[in-house]
Amino acid sequence: MQTDLLKTFIEDDSGATAIEYGLIAALVSVAAIGALTAMGGSLDTMFTTVSTELNSAVGGGGTGGGTGGSTGGGI
């Protein structure tokens, strides 16, 4: 009786499959984090450059401002 239970336990590999999928998910997560971290500096530089070019093209000093918007009154 105990030998049958032990034999069934040894032959069951469903837990190993779940562990393999978990390891694959962890590996993909680590790769994604590494790629995004590596790209972070270049993306920051690119957006800073675009922002600077847009500010100089519009002639603004990057201070924001503006006169638009609603004051909540009226209609």
Side-chain angles (χ1 to χ4, degrees):
M1 188 75 129
Q2 287 182 344
T3 57
D4 291 336
L5 183 62
L6 183 62
K7 187 176 181 181
T8 303
F9 180 72
I10 291 173
E11 291 176 355
D12 186 17
D13 62 350
S14 61
T17 303
I19 290 173
E20 289 171 356
Y21 281 124
L23 289 173
I24 290 171
L27 181 64
V28 168
S29 299
V30 168
I33 289 170
L36 292 174
T37 301
M39 288 176 32
S42 64
L43 286 175
D44 184 43
T45 303
M46 181 178 63
F47 281 116
T48 302
T49 303
V50 169
S51 175
T52 303
E53 291 295 323
L54 286 174
N55 282 336
S56 66
V58 175
T63 59
T67 59
S70 174
T71 59
I75 303 176

mmCIF file of all heavy atoms in Angstrom, residues 2-48:
data_model
loop_
_atom_site.group_PDB
_atom_site.id
_atom_site.type_symbol
_atom_site.label_atom_id
_atom_site.label_comp_id
_atom_site.label_asym_id
_atom_site.label_seq_id
_atom_site.Cartn_x
_atom_site.Cartn_y
_atom_site.Cartn_z
ATOM 1 N N GLN A 2 1.836 1.332 0.872
ATOM 2 C CA GLN A 2 2.705 2.506 0.922
ATOM 3 C C GLN A 2 3.613 2.572 -0.294
ATOM 4 O O GLN A 2 3.953 3.664 -0.747
ATOM 5 C CB GLN A 2 3.537 2.501 2.197
ATOM 6 C CG GLN A 2 2.725 2.822 3.439
ATOM 7 C CD GLN A 2 3.593 2.859 4.685
ATOM 8 O OE1 GLN A 2 4.715 2.360 4.672
ATOM 9 N NE2 GLN A 2 3.070 3.428 5.750
ATOM 10 N N THR A 3 3.991 1.441 -0.828
ATOM 11 C CA THR A 3 4.856 1.459 -2.007
ATOM 12 C C THR A 3 4.104 1.998 -3.220
ATOM 13 O O THR A 3 4.687 2.690 -4.052
ATOM 14 C CB THR A 3 5.405 0.057 -2.315
ATOM 15 O OG1 THR A 3 4.316 -0.859 -2.482
ATOM 16 C CG2 THR A 3 6.323 -0.423 -1.205
ATOM 17 N N ASP A 4 2.798 1.696 -3.308
ATOM 18 C CA ASP A 4 1.998 2.241 -4.418
ATOM 19 C C ASP A 4 1.875 3.759 -4.301
ATOM 20 O O ASP A 4 1.958 4.476 -5.301
ATOM 21 C CB ASP A 4 0.600 1.608 -4.427
ATOM 22 C CG ASP A 4 0.632 0.140 -4.823
ATOM 23 O OD1 ASP A 4 1.597 -0.263 -5.507
ATOM 24 O OD2 ASP A 4 -0.304 -0.590 -4.442
ATOM 25 N N LEU A 5 1.667 4.237 -3.087
ATOM 26 C CA LEU A 5 1.561 5.676 -2.865
ATOM 27 C C LEU A 5 2.877 6.367 -3.195
ATOM 28 O O LEU A 5 2.899 7.419 -3.837
ATOM 29 C CB LEU A 5 1.167 5.955 -1.410
ATOM 30 C CG LEU A 5 0.955 7.412 -1.045
ATOM 31 C CD1 LEU A 5 -0.193 8.013 -1.852
ATOM 32 C CD2 LEU A 5 0.696 7.553 0.444
ATOM 33 N N LEU A 6 3.987 5.776 -2.784
ATOM 34 C CA LEU A 6 5.308 6.343 -3.068
ATOM 35 C C LEU A 6 5.590 6.325 -4.567
ATOM 36 O O LEU A 6 6.104 7.304 -5.120
ATOM 37 C CB LEU A 6 6.383 5.578 -2.305
ATOM 38 C CG LEU A 6 7.813 6.087 -2.445
ATOM 39 C CD1 LEU A 6 7.913 7.511 -1.903
ATOM 40 C CD2 LEU A 6 8.787 5.188 -1.722
ATOM 41 N N LYS A 7 5.211 5.250 -5.234
ATOM 42 C CA LYS A 7 5.423 5.145 -6.679
ATOM 43 C C LYS A 7 4.605 6.203 -7.429
ATOM 44 O O LYS A 7 5.099 6.850 -8.350
ATOM 45 C CB LYS A 7 5.045 3.742 -7.156
ATOM 46 C CG LYS A 7 5.369 3.470 -8.595
ATOM 47 C CD LYS A 7 5.052 2.034 -8.963
ATOM 48 C CE LYS A 7 5.405 1.751 -10.393
ATOM 49 N NZ LYS A 7 5.085 0.381 -10.787
ATOM 50 N N THR A 8 3.360 6.414 -6.993
ATOM 51 C CA THR A 8 2.507 7.428 -7.616
ATOM 52 C C THR A 8 3.081 8.823 -7.395
ATOM 53 O O THR A 8 3.084 9.655 -8.299
ATOM 54 C CB THR A 8 1.086 7.346 -7.034
ATOM 55 O OG1 THR A 8 0.575 6.035 -7.232
ATOM 56 C CG2 THR A 8 0.172 8.346 -7.702
ATOM 57 N N PHE A 9 3.582 9.066 -6.188
ATOM 58 C CA PHE A 9 4.163 10.369 -5.868
ATOM 59 C C PHE A 9 5.392 10.647 -6.718
ATOM 60 O O PHE A 9 5.592 11.760 -7.197
ATOM 61 C CB PHE A 9 4.525 10.424 -4.379
ATOM 62 C CG PHE A 9 5.121 11.718 -3.950
ATOM 63 C CD1 PHE A 9 4.343 12.860 -3.843
ATOM 64 C CD2 PHE A 9 6.475 11.819 -3.657
ATOM 65 C CE1 PHE A 9 4.890 14.068 -3.447
ATOM 66 C CE2 PHE A 9 7.030 13.025 -3.261
ATOM 67 C CZ PHE A 9 6.229 14.148 -3.158
ATOM 68 N N ILE A 10 6.220 9.646 -6.926
ATOM 69 C CA ILE A 10 7.449 9.824 -7.714
ATOM 70 C C ILE A 10 7.128 10.047 -9.189
ATOM 71 O O ILE A 10 7.776 10.860 -9.863
ATOM 72 C CB ILE A 10 8.389 8.611 -7.524
ATOM 73 C CG1 ILE A 10 8.935 8.612 -6.095
ATOM 74 C CG2 ILE A 10 9.519 8.617 -8.534
ATOM 75 C CD1 ILE A 10 9.734 7.379 -5.735
ATOM 76 N N GLU A 11 6.107 9.381 -9.708
ATOM 77 C CA GLU A 11 5.772 9.486 -11.130
ATOM 78 C C GLU A 11 4.999 10.767 -11.464
ATOM 79 O O GLU A 11 4.927 11.170 -12.619
ATOM 80 C CB GLU A 11 4.964 8.273 -11.564
ATOM 81 C CG GLU A 11 5.770 6.995 -11.581
ATOM 82 C CD GLU A 11 4.936 5.777 -11.924
ATOM 83 O OE1 GLU A 11 3.699 5.907 -12.061
ATOM 84 O OE2 GLU A 11 5.519 4.696 -12.047
ATOM 85 N N ASP A 12 4.414 11.422 -10.462
ATOM 86 C CA ASP A 12 3.629 12.636 -10.701
ATOM 87 C C ASP A 12 4.572 13.811 -10.950
ATOM 88 O O ASP A 12 5.372 14.173 -10.098
ATOM 89 C CB ASP A 12 2.736 12.923 -9.502
ATOM 90 C CG ASP A 12 1.800 14.091 -9.755
ATOM 91 O OD1 ASP A 12 1.611 14.458 -10.925
ATOM 92 O OD2 ASP A 12 1.262 14.624 -8.769
ATOM 93 N N ASP A 13 4.457 14.426 -12.137
ATOM 94 C CA ASP A 13 5.348 15.544 -12.472
ATOM 95 C C ASP A 13 4.583 16.844 -12.708
ATOM 96 O O ASP A 13 5.101 17.787 -13.291
ATOM 97 C CB ASP A 13 6.203 15.209 -13.688
ATOM 98 C CG ASP A 13 5.395 14.951 -14.945
ATOM 99 O OD1 ASP A 13 4.169 14.848 -14.834
ATOM 100 O OD2 ASP A 13 6.002 14.862 -16.028
ATOM 101 N N SER A 14 3.346 16.941 -12.251
ATOM 102 C CA SER A 14 2.573 18.165 -12.464
ATOM 103 C C SER A 14 3.154 19.338 -11.675
ATOM 104 O O SER A 14 3.111 20.473 -12.127
ATOM 105 C CB SER A 14 1.104 17.948 -12.073
ATOM 106 O OG SER A 14 1.004 17.608 -10.704
ATOM 107 N N GLY A 15 3.717 19.084 -10.518
ATOM 108 C CA GLY A 15 4.354 20.148 -9.745
ATOM 109 C C GLY A 15 5.590 20.685 -10.442
ATOM 110 O O GLY A 15 5.864 21.888 -10.408
ATOM 111 N N ALA A 16 6.338 19.801 -11.092
ATOM 112 C CA ALA A 16 7.538 20.230 -11.813
ATOM 113 C C ALA A 16 7.174 21.153 -12.976
ATOM 114 O O ALA A 16 7.875 22.129 -13.250
ATOM 115 C CB ALA A 16 8.307 19.022 -12.322
ATOM 116 N N THR A 17 6.060 20.877 -13.638
ATOM 117 C CA THR A 17 5.621 21.725 -14.748
ATOM 118 C C THR A 17 5.257 23.116 -14.243
ATOM 119 O O THR A 17 5.620 24.127 -14.869
ATOM 120 C CB THR A 17 4.405 21.094 -15.452
ATOM 121 O OG1 THR A 17 4.759 19.784 -15.895
ATOM 122 C CG2 THR A 17 3.976 21.913 -16.644
ATOM 123 N N ALA A 18 4.577 23.189 -13.114
ATOM 124 C CA ALA A 18 4.221 24.489 -12.558
ATOM 125 C C ALA A 18 5.465 25.277 -12.165
ATOM 126 O O ALA A 18 5.540 26.493 -12.381
ATOM 127 C CB ALA A 18 3.312 24.303 -11.344
ATOM 128 N N ILE A 19 6.448 24.604 -11.616
ATOM 129 C CA ILE A 19 7.699 25.267 -11.241
ATOM 130 C C ILE A 19 8.414 25.779 -12.489
ATOM 131 O O ILE A 19 8.966 26.879 -12.492
ATOM 132 C CB ILE A 19 8.588 24.309 -10.425
ATOM 133 C CG1 ILE A 19 7.965 24.081 -9.056
ATOM 134 C CG2 ILE A 19 9.996 24.852 -10.283
ATOM 135 C CD1 ILE A 19 8.653 23.029 -8.231
ATOM 136 N N GLU A 20 8.405 24.996 -13.551
ATOM 137 C CA GLU A 20 9.057 25.426 -14.799
ATOM 138 C C GLU A 20 8.393 26.694 -15.345
ATOM 139 O O GLU A 20 9.075 27.620 -15.785
ATOM 140 C CB GLU A 20 8.990 24.310 -15.830
ATOM 141 C CG GLU A 20 9.897 23.136 -15.508
ATOM 142 C CD GLU A 20 9.662 21.946 -16.429
ATOM 143 O OE1 GLU A 20 8.732 22.001 -17.271
ATOM 144 O OE2 GLU A 20 10.409 20.969 -16.292
ATOM 145 N N TYR A 21 7.060 26.731 -15.334
ATOM 146 C CA TYR A 21 6.362 27.924 -15.810
ATOM 147 C C TYR A 21 6.668 29.125 -14.914
ATOM 148 O O TYR A 21 6.813 30.254 -15.397
ATOM 149 C CB TYR A 21 4.851 27.695 -15.877
ATOM 150 C CG TYR A 21 4.413 26.921 -17.093
ATOM 151 C CD1 TYR A 21 3.668 25.750 -16.968
ATOM 152 C CD2 TYR A 21 4.731 27.357 -18.371
ATOM 153 C CE1 TYR A 21 3.262 25.036 -18.082
ATOM 154 C CE2 TYR A 21 4.339 26.650 -19.494
ATOM 155 C CZ TYR A 21 3.598 25.499 -19.343
ATOM 156 O OH TYR A 21 3.203 24.797 -20.435
ATOM 157 N N GLY A 22 6.770 28.895 -13.627
ATOM 158 C CA GLY A 22 7.131 29.974 -12.711
ATOM 159 C C GLY A 22 8.518 30.512 -12.984
ATOM 160 O O GLY A 22 8.749 31.721 -12.950
ATOM 161 N N LEU A 23 9.461 29.615 -13.267
ATOM 162 C CA LEU A 23 10.823 30.052 -13.580
ATOM 163 C C LEU A 23 10.879 30.823 -14.893
ATOM 164 O O LEU A 23 11.617 31.803 -15.014
ATOM 165 C CB LEU A 23 11.764 28.840 -13.634
ATOM 166 C CG LEU A 23 12.070 28.191 -12.292
ATOM 167 C CD1 LEU A 23 12.863 26.897 -12.500
ATOM 168 C CD2 LEU A 23 12.832 29.138 -11.398
ATOM 169 N N ILE A 24 10.106 30.396 -15.876
ATOM 170 C CA ILE A 24 10.067 31.115 -17.154
ATOM 171 C C ILE A 24 9.495 32.516 -16.958
ATOM 172 O O ILE A 24 10.026 33.505 -17.487
ATOM 173 C CB ILE A 24 9.245 30.325 -18.200
ATOM 174 C CG1 ILE A 24 10.007 29.063 -18.609
ATOM 175 C CG2 ILE A 24 8.938 31.183 -19.421
ATOM 176 C CD1 ILE A 24 9.196 28.107 -19.456
ATOM 177 N N ALA A 25 8.418 32.632 -16.172
ATOM 178 C CA ALA A 25 7.826 33.939 -15.911
ATOM 179 C C ALA A 25 8.806 34.847 -15.174
ATOM 180 O O ALA A 25 8.913 36.037 -15.472
ATOM 181 C CB ALA A 25 6.541 33.783 -15.099
ATOM 182 N N ALA A 26 9.549 34.281 -14.216
ATOM 183 C CA ALA A 26 10.538 35.077 -13.489
ATOM 184 C C ALA A 26 11.652 35.550 -14.420
ATOM 185 O O ALA A 26 12.103 36.693 -14.337
ATOM 186 C CB ALA A 26 11.122 34.260 -12.342
ATOM 187 N N LEU A 27 12.100 34.684 -15.318
ATOM 188 C CA LEU A 27 13.160 35.046 -16.259
ATOM 189 C C LEU A 27 12.698 36.154 -17.207
ATOM 190 O O LEU A 27 13.445 37.105 -17.474
ATOM 191 C CB LEU A 27 13.601 33.819 -17.058
ATOM 192 C CG LEU A 27 14.708 34.031 -18.072
ATOM 193 C CD1 LEU A 27 15.999 34.444 -17.367
ATOM 194 C CD2 LEU A 27 14.949 32.769 -18.878
ATOM 195 N N VAL A 28 11.478 36.059 -17.700
ATOM 196 C CA VAL A 28 10.942 37.097 -18.590
ATOM 197 C C VAL A 28 10.833 38.424 -17.841
ATOM 198 O O VAL A 28 11.153 39.486 -18.383
ATOM 199 C CB VAL A 28 9.577 36.666 -19.172
ATOM 200 C CG1 VAL A 28 8.871 37.815 -19.854
ATOM 201 C CG2 VAL A 28 9.769 35.511 -20.140
ATOM 202 N N SER A 29 10.407 38.374 -16.586
ATOM 203 C CA SER A 29 10.297 39.598 -15.784
ATOM 204 C C SER A 29 11.651 40.254 -15.578
ATOM 205 O O SER A 29 11.789 41.474 -15.705
ATOM 206 C CB SER A 29 9.671 39.285 -14.432
ATOM 207 O OG SER A 29 8.380 38.768 -14.594
ATOM 208 N N VAL A 30 12.652 39.451 -15.264
ATOM 209 C CA VAL A 30 13.998 39.995 -15.050
ATOM 210 C C VAL A 30 14.537 40.602 -16.344
ATOM 211 O O VAL A 30 15.139 41.686 -16.334
ATOM 212 C CB VAL A 30 14.943 38.905 -14.512
ATOM 213 C CG1 VAL A 30 16.391 39.347 -14.557
ATOM 214 C CG2 VAL A 30 14.552 38.530 -13.087
ATOM 215 N N ALA A 31 14.294 39.942 -17.469
ATOM 216 C CA ALA A 31 14.757 40.476 -18.755
ATOM 217 C C ALA A 31 14.050 41.791 -19.088
ATOM 218 O O ALA A 31 14.688 42.736 -19.572
ATOM 219 C CB ALA A 31 14.514 39.441 -19.857
ATOM 220 N N ALA A 32 12.750 41.865 -18.825
ATOM 221 C CA ALA A 32 12.007 43.102 -19.108
ATOM 222 C C ALA A 32 12.497 44.248 -18.226
ATOM 223 O O ALA A 32 12.676 45.378 -18.698
ATOM 224 C CB ALA A 32 10.511 42.874 -18.903
ATOM 225 N N ILE A 33 12.722 43.969 -16.959
ATOM 226 C CA ILE A 33 13.221 45.012 -16.052
ATOM 227 C C ILE A 33 14.599 45.488 -16.499
ATOM 228 O O ILE A 33 14.885 46.687 -16.513
ATOM 229 C CB ILE A 33 13.238 44.498 -14.600
ATOM 230 C CG1 ILE A 33 11.811 44.357 -14.081
ATOM 231 C CG2 ILE A 33 14.037 45.427 -13.696
ATOM 232 C CD1 ILE A 33 11.708 43.641 -12.757
ATOM 233 N N GLY A 34 15.450 44.551 -16.882
ATOM 234 C CA GLY A 34 16.787 44.926 -17.355
ATOM 235 C C GLY A 34 16.738 45.770 -18.614
ATOM 236 O O GLY A 34 17.459 46.764 -18.739
ATOM 237 N N ALA A 35 15.876 45.393 -19.548
ATOM 238 C CA ALA A 35 15.772 46.155 -20.802
ATOM 239 C C ALA A 35 15.231 47.554 -20.553
ATOM 240 O O ALA A 35 15.732 48.530 -21.117
ATOM 241 C CB ALA A 35 14.878 45.401 -21.788
ATOM 242 N N LEU A 36 14.207 47.666 -19.721
ATOM 243 C CA LEU A 36 13.635 48.994 -19.446
ATOM 244 C C LEU A 36 14.601 49.865 -18.668
ATOM 245 O O LEU A 36 14.660 51.078 -18.886
ATOM 246 C CB LEU A 36 12.317 48.847 -18.696
ATOM 247 C CG LEU A 36 11.173 48.233 -19.506
ATOM 248 C CD1 LEU A 36 9.957 47.994 -18.624
ATOM 249 C CD2 LEU A 36 10.808 49.115 -20.681
ATOM 250 N N THR A 37 15.365 49.268 -17.782
ATOM 251 C CA THR A 37 16.368 50.035 -17.045
ATOM 252 C C THR A 37 17.457 50.539 -17.980
ATOM 253 O O THR A 37 17.897 51.686 -17.884
ATOM 254 C CB THR A 37 16.980 49.172 -15.926
ATOM 255 O OG1 THR A 37 15.942 48.748 -15.051
ATOM 256 C CG2 THR A 37 18.010 49.942 -15.136
ATOM 257 N N ALA A 38 17.892 49.688 -18.904
ATOM 258 C CA ALA A 38 18.934 50.083 -19.850
ATOM 259 C C ALA A 38 18.443 51.182 -20.788
ATOM 260 O O ALA A 38 19.202 52.078 -21.158
ATOM 261 C CB ALA A 38 19.391 48.875 -20.656
ATOM 262 N N MET A 39 17.167 51.125 -21.162
ATOM 263 C CA MET A 39 16.618 52.126 -22.078
ATOM 264 C C MET A 39 16.232 53.410 -21.361
ATOM 265 O O MET A 39 16.004 54.433 -22.012
ATOM 266 C CB MET A 39 15.385 51.570 -22.784
ATOM 267 C CG MET A 39 15.687 50.525 -23.817
ATOM 268 S SD MET A 39 14.214 49.784 -24.562
ATOM 269 C CE MET A 39 13.026 51.072 -24.564
ATOM 270 N N GLY A 40 16.139 53.395 -20.051
ATOM 271 C CA GLY A 40 15.667 54.546 -19.304
ATOM 272 C C GLY A 40 16.456 55.809 -19.563
ATOM 273 O O GLY A 40 15.884 56.881 -19.765
ATOM 274 N N GLY A 41 17.769 55.716 -19.562
ATOM 275 C CA GLY A 41 18.609 56.884 -19.792
ATOM 276 C C GLY A 41 18.438 57.466 -21.177
ATOM 277 O O GLY A 41 18.331 58.686 -21.355
ATOM 278 N N SER A 42 18.376 56.604 -22.179
ATOM 279 C CA SER A 42 18.231 57.103 -23.547
ATOM 280 C C SER A 42 16.846 57.701 -23.774
ATOM 281 O O SER A 42 16.699 58.681 -24.503
ATOM 282 C CB SER A 42 18.509 55.989 -24.555
ATOM 283 O OG SER A 42 17.555 54.955 -24.433
ATOM 284 N N LEU A 43 15.815 57.111 -23.157
ATOM 285 C CA LEU A 43 14.476 57.687 -23.295
ATOM 286 C C LEU A 43 14.397 59.047 -22.621
ATOM 287 O O LEU A 43 13.782 59.975 -23.155
ATOM 288 C CB LEU A 43 13.430 56.745 -22.696
ATOM 289 C CG LEU A 43 13.117 55.495 -23.496
ATOM 290 C CD1 LEU A 43 12.156 54.608 -22.724
ATOM 291 C CD2 LEU A 43 12.528 55.847 -24.842
ATOM 292 N N ASP A 44 15.021 59.179 -21.460
ATOM 293 C CA ASP A 44 15.032 60.463 -20.768
ATOM 294 C C ASP A 44 15.731 61.522 -21.618
ATOM 295 O O ASP A 44 15.235 62.645 -21.748
ATOM 296 C CB ASP A 44 15.723 60.317 -19.416
ATOM 297 C CG ASP A 44 15.674 61.598 -18.604
ATOM 298 O OD1 ASP A 44 14.604 62.235 -18.580
ATOM 299 O OD2 ASP A 44 16.697 61.953 -18.000
ATOM 300 N N THR A 45 16.849 61.157 -22.215
ATOM 301 C CA THR A 45 17.580 62.086 -23.077
ATOM 302 C C THR A 45 16.744 62.475 -24.289
ATOM 303 O O THR A 45 16.690 63.653 -24.666
ATOM 304 C CB THR A 45 18.904 61.449 -23.544
ATOM 305 O OG1 THR A 45 19.656 61.079 -22.393
ATOM 306 C CG2 THR A 45 19.701 62.385 -24.409
ATOM 307 N N MET A 46 16.065 61.494 -24.886
ATOM 308 C CA MET A 46 15.267 61.770 -26.075
ATOM 309 C C MET A 46 14.107 62.719 -25.743
ATOM 310 O O MET A 46 13.870 63.695 -26.463
ATOM 311 C CB MET A 46 14.712 60.474 -26.658
ATOM 312 C CG MET A 46 13.878 60.689 -27.911
ATOM 313 S SD MET A 46 13.253 59.181 -28.659
ATOM 314 C CE MET A 46 12.191 58.547 -27.384
ATOM 315 N N PHE A 47 13.391 62.470 -24.659
ATOM 316 C CA PHE A 47 12.269 63.336 -24.308
ATOM 317 C C PHE A 47 12.738 64.725 -23.896
ATOM 318 O O PHE A 47 12.063 65.722 -24.163
ATOM 319 C CB PHE A 47 11.423 62.704 -23.209
ATOM 320 C CG PHE A 47 10.500 61.633 -23.719
ATOM 321 C CD1 PHE A 47 10.651 60.321 -23.309
ATOM 322 C CD2 PHE A 47 9.494 61.943 -24.614
ATOM 323 C CE1 PHE A 47 9.809 59.333 -23.777
ATOM 324 C CE2 PHE A 47 8.642 60.960 -25.089
ATOM 325 C CZ PHE A 47 8.797 59.650 -24.673
ATOM 326 N N THR A 48 13.888 64.829 -23.265
ATOM 327 C CA THR A 48 14.436 66.131 -22.920
ATOM 328 C C THR A 48 14.779 66.915 -24.180
ATOM 329 O O THR A 48 14.500 68.114 -24.287
ATOM 330 C CB THR A 48 15.681 65.974 -22.032
ATOM 331 O OG1 THR A 48 15.320 65.251 -20.856
ATOM 332 C CG2 THR A 48 16.277 67.311 -21.654
#
